[in-house]
Amino acid sequence: MRILVTGGAGFIGSNFIRNLLANESECTVVNLDKLTYAGNLENLADVEKDPRYHFVKGSICDVELVDKLLGTKFDALVNFAAESHVDRSIQNATAFVETNVLGTQTLLEACRRHRVPRMVQVSTDEVYGSIGPTGRFTEESPLAPNSPYAASKAAADLLAGAYFRTYGLPVIITRSSNNYGPYQFPEKVIPLFITNALADEPLPLYGDGLHVRDWLHVQDHCQALAVILREGRPGETYNIAGNCERANIDVARLILRALGKPESLIAHVTDRLGHDRRYALDTGKLERELGWRPRIVFEVGLQETVRWYESHEAWWRRVKDGEYREYYHKTYKDLSSFSPQFH
Ligand code: NAD
Ligand code: DAU
């Protein structure tokens, strides 16, 4: 199977590629990534010499490049490429619309032209908006995004649905809850809190800290995506979640406890604009149809994640200082898999 992964140098995409290469010996992966501030080839240093892995630097918004690439025949495309951080979208939404909406449409169009047999659009629970203190969103719940990020992802979902209904493009949408685990960029709350606590710096907790997120370990997410890629039904949407809701203040306390740091490091700061109070997903469809269930218990996964950041201090310090870009410039020209025709 030859798979194009877009946005594979980011957090979830890099975990997905590593798993795919480890679990599917017959699989070839091409990773198309623009290497924005969030894309880091160091995340895939352990597989960059694998002859089944190829990296192409470029944007999913580049119509010519995407068309040329998809013309080289793929069995599937999995799209992770996105601007992914809500706070950045509140500051400036332009790049979110460009990559998340236009970029996705560029991929859909190229998949249609080249008759790619399967595309997975990796989306988010945020497209449903905030839910009250009880209940869970199903795949049939209306889309009601609140942040510019969520609105751009919802727009991409609608385009994917339109390409399925209008052209019969075999695209599947997945909507996952909050991920955590190794290689997550430390602007997201869990790695931010862990790395701040390690440096004895305050943990900036928005508002009253009682906002609730459902936490899904990135390994569980990648496993769900692999099952959906193989067996999911085209035109369908699947919710993916850890079925593990926690208030942010409790997550902060767990991290501090795991590191033996005092709760006085928690600093209540001004709330995020339009901050969604609670996300919760019903994952019954994925369980019934494809037999998937999350396996990693949050408290265990969080402990392991804390230990990972503890033992990868050089990685997160370079990421926080923006120095990981050096890695790309040093390594790129030596990559055995480098495909110059696509650069
Ligand atoms: P990330 O920010 O860590 O990585 C995004 C990757 O996309 C980076 O490697 C970046 O360089 C690349 N990219 C950005 N713009 C690009 C472009 N125009 N062309 C090519 N590559 C581009 O994001 P993540 O947390 O790994 O999220 C991956 C996907 O999963 C996103 O679509 C996101 O919306 C979705 N998602 C994330 C979570 C989560 O908790 N992190 C939860 C649900 C869904
Ligand atoms: O729900 C899925 C989404 O989860 C993904 O689609 C997004 O790509 C991903 O970034 C994430 O969005 P959130 O906004 O939920 O994640 P974030 O880590 O930014 O924030 C999680 C919660 O923690 C949220 O309630 C805001 C709060 N928070 C966040 C930061 C960065 C703080 O209290 N302090 C902070 O410094």
Side-chain angles (χ1 to χ4, degrees), residues 47 159 184 192 197 210 284 323:
V47 300
L159 281 165
Q184 186 166 31
L192 177 76
L210 297 178
E323 284 171 18

Side-chain angles (χ1 to χ4, degrees), residues 62-73 106-107 109-111 113-114 342:
D62 184 336
V63 176
E64 209 178 309
L65 171 73
V66 167
D67 192 65
K68 195 167 153 192
L69 198 49
L70 281 164
T72 65
K73 293 284 170 253
T106 302
L107 296 177
E109 187 57 28
C111 284
R113 270 173 51 76
H114 295 288
F342 294 126

